Amino acid sequence: MSEIILSTEDLSKHFIGKSSLLGKIRGKAPLSIPAVDGVTIQIESGSTVGLVGESGCGKSTLGRTLVGLYPATGGSLTLLDRQMGIKRSLQERRLVQMIFQDPFASLNPRMKIRDMLTEILLFHKLVEKERVEERCVELMNLVGLPVNALDSYPRQFSGGQRQRIGIARALALEPKVLIADEAVSALDVSVQASIVNLLLDLKRDLGLTMLFISHNIAIVRQISDRIAVMYLGRIVEEGPTEDVFNNPQHPYTKLLLSSVPKMTPGSKLGEAPTGELPSMQAKYLGCRFMSRCPIAIDACKATDPQLIQVSSAGHLAACINL
Amino acid sequence: MTHPLLSVRDLHVEIDTPRGLLKAIRGISLDLNAGDSLGIVGESGSGKSITLKAILGLLPKNARVTSGEIFLDGVSLNSLNAPKRAELLAEKIGIVFQDAIAALNPVMTVGNQIAEVPRRRLGWSKEKSHQRAIELMELVGIPEAEARFHVYPHQLSGGLRQRVAIAIALSGNPQLIFCDEPTTALDVTIQAQVLRLLMDLRLKEKTGIVFVTHDLAVVNEICEDINVMYAGRFVESGGVQECFQNPSHPYAYSLLKSAPDMEHQVERLFSILGEAPDLTKAVNGCPFAPRCFAVTEICRSSEPELRNQGGPFSACHHSSTFKQSLGAVELTADGGQK
């Protein structure tokens, strides 16, 4: 269980803008946006890690960098004891798969589900030609869709069913790690619940490892074993889900959790962080959360806090005031 | 002076669609007083937004109110001509939409958009309405209001834009604010800030709030009353605390159970099978019957009315007994959709 399947060391992804001609003449450096800026994380085989944070904090960029959709600009990424380069082999690409937020935009509208699955199964030489049909049926069963769905086009399905197709497509490649980027955010509450249950089943039955990226903190709590909180390109707190929810350490985590509306009758909405996510373009010497932090002190300006162990085992937070 | 501020009686709305006539709202009634806070929840397509639009006379061209009456401050809107009706609505009700950037005028400074209402409608001088706009911007928590008066919507962040939209809704001193998913597009931290603002306004200005959302937790935090909508009707109606503790309609129950709660982790989430009915077709019996875990013969033949059955009002034939059917259901509840 405790084998590390995917780990990163100081991983970063900076988006570099184009510099104008005038800028080039003046020797001005092009705009650089550090969407992911030094993330170190380890994902255990068979576990689900939830990644939460506000929009623009870099959680989707981190997910896409792990899949290989974006080349990393710094740090290292290790998958199954192999360091991933900029270019991944076919085999390496197969191992990490992604489920996207919008199941309609991510499915080819002019391809039947069967063709979609057949294409990837044959391209990756996962099954013999004669066994393709068998495998397609297997996949439909796995995600709870009827077999006749194979002969339909994406538009013939409801949102929840399309998301199931997206999951089937990702699973067709027999990945080791599944990255779900806001996979249930576009769905209605009742449908959302059935997709979350499906993911929980798949995790149990197939031993899938998953990174579940979402801004919906209540959903993340249901599905994750561990949770990582991201702020401006960095992970500020990481630990076992129950520990983080019951005993948040970083001031940002505390405010983030208290700002979530609760279902308990008579609950009163807690404090939220003041202001908004500051610009990613700014350079930070010290703590990035300082501008919104209620307990900031002068030292926060100069010291860049590192993730250190707090309270219980495996619970990390990056704040110098702990 | 005992009439409610807003009273809707048996409202029906139909929409022309390429697939045929869609009965979007099939008879809803509600009463609201100044200072009330009502949450209307339901899934996409249940008719929540159309309800607000029908009351405000903002229905799209292919939709129309086919029957029902709306009384605003005791006056029947049906009895007024169009300009009079619009004037009365504008005086009493402000509205905040989900997408603030679409609701705001992109080529007008935000300050002028807020000042426009007191200036045009109340006939205030330029200086006075300018002053009022800045007051409102401060009231909704926009920092550096003086300077921000002259910026355009695209220069503001999502949270600030929504605050501007709220300031505009407040600018005519309405007694009621309609909020149509105002925080759905916002981050949870910014959502908390905006919700807090709405709660404060309700206390300070005694403004009534109608809050349309699909997020039950939001309703729990800021509303006192709740109406659960399904297939164009209210199926459950009552106090939020009461409905959350003791829902009296199987749909409301399922919805509550399927919503993840950040305070408790459960083994599995409850999920509702199937999909909402197609309202272009006639509804026979209870519209929730095909998805209901407590369905019986009578549910398929007659549609229950919303009525007092002890506890929250409920439109269910089995409102007091449906929970007994749950034992058998819990096992099969998560299955896939067909």
Side-chain angles (χ1 to χ4, degrees), chain A residues 187-193, chain B residues 40-49 181 212-216 227-233 251-252 254-255 258 271-277 288 291 337:
Chain A
L187 306 173
D188 262 322
V189 183
S190 63
V191 184
Q192 200 174 13
Chain B
I40 301 180
V41 293
E43 292 178 90
S44 336
S46 59
K48 331 182 274 294
S49 295
E181 306 254 9
V212 163
T213 179
H214 65 273
D215 191 338
L216 285 160
N227 278 349
V228 180
M229 205 161 181
Y230 188 77
R233 283 206 175 177
Y251 177 65
S254 310
L255 210 55
S258 64
S271 70
I272 309 175
L273 296 169
E275 286 168 46
F288 188 60
R291 307 172 77 185
Q337 293 164 290

Side-chain angles (χ1 to χ4, degrees), chain B residues 92-149:
Chain B
K92 300 285 179 197
I93 305 178
I95 180 156
V96 182
F97 294 100
Q98 173 173 353
D99 185 1
I101 195 78
L104 297 174
N105 183 343
V107 294
M108 196 170 171
T109 63
V110 297
N112 280 330
Q113 291 186 55
I114 303 170
E116 191 184 19
V117 180
R119 205 153 159 226
R120 288 259 186 97
R121 264 231 341 277
L122 309 176
W124 288 11
S125 70
K126 197 175 169 190
E127 291 70 36
K128 200 175 164 196
S129 27
H130 185 116
Q131 203 47 50
R132 173 73 180 148
I134 288 175
E135 271 171 39
L136 283 166
M137 287 168 83
E138 279 164 358
L139 180 70
V140 297
I142 298 176
E144 298 158 47
E146 293 269 0
R148 288 251 165 72
F149 188 94

Side-chain angles (χ1 to χ4, degrees), chain A residues 262-279:
Chain A
K262 323 271 185 310
M263 294 286 287
T264 314
S267 135
K268 280 279 152 281
L269 196 61
E271 282 301 309
T274 52
E276 299 180 12
L277 205 65
S279 164

Side-chain angles (χ1 to χ4, degrees), chain A residues 140-169:
Chain A
M140 288 294 108
N141 290 333
L142 204 56
V143 298
L145 284 172
V147 175
N148 61 18
L150 284 169
D151 290 306
S152 313
Y153 291 96
R155 67 179 144 78
Q156 293 168 286
F157 296 97
S158 67
Q161 289 170 320
R162 280 180 205 152
Q163 202 53 286
R164 284 171 194 265
I165 295 166
I167 295 170
R169 187 178 58 176

